Amino acid sequence: MDPVITVQHLRKTFGATVAVEDVSLTVGRGEIVGILGPNGAGKTTTVEIIAGLTRPDGGRVEILGHDPQRDPAAVRQVLGVQLQESRLPARIRVEEALRLYASFYPEPADVDELIVLLGREDRRRTAFDDLSGGQQQRLSIALALVGRPQVVVLDELTTGLDPRGRRETWALVERVRDTGVTVLLVTHFMDEAEHLCDRVVVIDAGRVVAEGTPAELTAAGAEPSLRLRLPADAPAGIEDALRSLPEVAAVVADDGALRVRGDGRVLPAVVAALDERGVVPTELTTLTRSLEDVFVDVTGVHLEEAAA
């Protein structure tokens, strides 16, 4: 992996409050890496330090070999940032905003191409306050790209958007990555992380508590399990028969059905046992561990609390 962002043992305090205790992570070229964590875990502070907006108390950050604190001008040439609650003057128009930001860079991106990337050519003369929430977010992303960055940081870019706005914003992020830009994405939405991210870093209480691809994280420590519902005329003793199978670790009632956990052979073993007794289940579903399950396991915080 060709590292674009390298963070080692980052630490930041605000008075007696430790915002970031010890965070290390690496982002490779062309990746979309997600940072997840409960409210107050240190996610935004971490990305603000990476972007050079906040000075750390300890640790090291490099973006394409540049330290954001020692060489901020070099970092500004390779990094684009979209932070939470980004706002523009109410009456500035889409094209005006893009051309204004383009004037800050010696070799900016083509404004007309960015408007095409936004997918809203019909909105180039629309005032910022007349855009929908999703359109404002996509404009914020375009402004982060106007300097032709190699890396872009996106912080909670779909908070407050309706499902359509979120999906459209996801599609834009994927188009941005397809142009060769590396993306560091802060989010508390598990479906967003699963849909967009090549890798995920979970931060809790200022520390990295889990890291890997969504598939790696959901597979780690998960026992294969399935849910089945028996027909009304199923013979007595089926539950005991399933519990006696060597492949089965547990059988528990689940809202009128049975949830069965076991080893990698639990599914064929259960199906064979049912077939021997002439039982055809009315429902049979294999269960997989979700990224939400992983999040709750490693942070002890449910998503409603994380987003609060």
Side-chain angles (χ1 to χ4, degrees):
M1 181 176 64
D2 180 13
V4 171
I5 299 175
T6 302
V7 177
Q8 293 182 332
H9 304 297
L10 208 59
R11 178 177 172 82
K12 178 63 181 178
T13 61
F14 296 96
T17 301
V18 179
V20 179
E21 177 72 28
D22 184 4
V23 169
S24 298
L25 60 90
T26 302
V27 181
R29 188 177 299 276
E31 283 192 304
I32 299 178
V33 173
I35 296 182
L36 306 178
N39 187 40
K43 307 184 301 297
T44 295
T45 301
T46 295
V47 297
E48 287 179 349
I49 293 171
I50 291 171
L53 302 175
T54 299
R55 181 178 295 277
D57 297 327
R60 185 174 71 90
V61 177
E62 281 191 0
I63 301 176
L64 291 168
H66 302 293
D67 184 315
Q69 298 299 324
R70 296 175 181 169
D71 198 358
V75 169
R76 284 197 294 271
Q77 295 304 311
V78 297
L79 179 70
V81 182
Q82 179 268 331
L83 297 175
Q84 281 183 271
E85 305 296 335
S86 298
R87 297 291 301 175
L88 292 173
R91 303 317 303 167
I92 193 169
R93 302 178 187 275
V94 168
E95 185 173 354
E96 289 175 335
L98 287 167
R99 294 199 183 281
L100 173 64
Y101 275 56
S103 70
F104 302 154
Y105 297 91
E107 297 182 13
D110 184 274
V111 168
D112 292 321
E113 290 180 2
L114 283 176
I115 291 174
V116 171
L117 184 66
L118 280 173
R120 285 291 184 268
E121 293 180 77
D122 58 332
R123 293 286 186 267
R124 67 168 61 222
R125 296 187 58 78
T126 302
F128 181 79
D129 262 15
D130 293 333
L131 298 172
S132 70
Q135 291 164 357
Q136 290 179 353
Q137 288 292 62
R138 290 196 293 281
L139 175 57
S140 295
I141 296 171
L143 293 173
L145 298 173
V146 76
R148 296 185 186 273
Q150 297 181 51
V151 189
V152 65
V153 174
L154 305 175
D155 189 6
E156 301 286 8
L157 77 165
T158 63
T159 297
L161 300 188
D162 60 26
R164 178 179 177 181
R166 293 181 69 218
R167 291 283 177 177
E168 290 177 348
T169 305
W170 292 356
L172 176 56
V173 173
E174 290 174 322
R175 291 199 296 274
V176 168
R177 193 266 300 276
D178 290 345
T179 66
V181 177
T182 300
V183 178
L184 183 61
L185 171 69
V186 179
T187 182
H188 65 265
F189 294 118
M190 299 302 112
D191 58 341
E192 185 163 281
E194 287 185 303
H195 181 89
L196 288 175
C197 296
D198 300 301
R199 288 190 300 115
V200 169
V201 177
V202 184
I203 296 177
D204 187 31
R207 292 179 176 271
V208 174
V209 293
E211 183 176 2
T213 68
E216 288 170 346
L217 291 177
T218 55
E223 279 187 306
S225 61
L226 54 94
R227 186 175 189 273
L228 62 92
R229 192 178 299 274
L230 300 175
D233 60 352
I238 291 293
E239 290 186 41
D240 290 337
L242 296 179
R243 287 191 181 93
S244 69
L245 296 173
E247 296 86 357
V248 171
V251 179
V252 296
D254 181 13
D255 192 24
L258 298 176
R259 187 182 292 259
V260 183
R261 292 186 293 106
D263 63 21
R265 296 285 301 166
V266 65
L267 176 59
V270 167
V271 170
L274 294 176
D275 184 58
E276 287 176 6
R277 292 160 177 79
V279 176
V280 178
T282 58
E283 175 190 332
L284 179 59
T285 308
T286 57
L287 303 175
T288 57
R289 194 174 185 228
S290 68
L291 196 55
E292 178 178 343
D293 296 327
V294 175
F295 183 90
V296 173
D297 286 349
V298 298
T299 67
V301 177
H302 290 275
L303 295 187
E304 295 80 3
E305 300 170 64

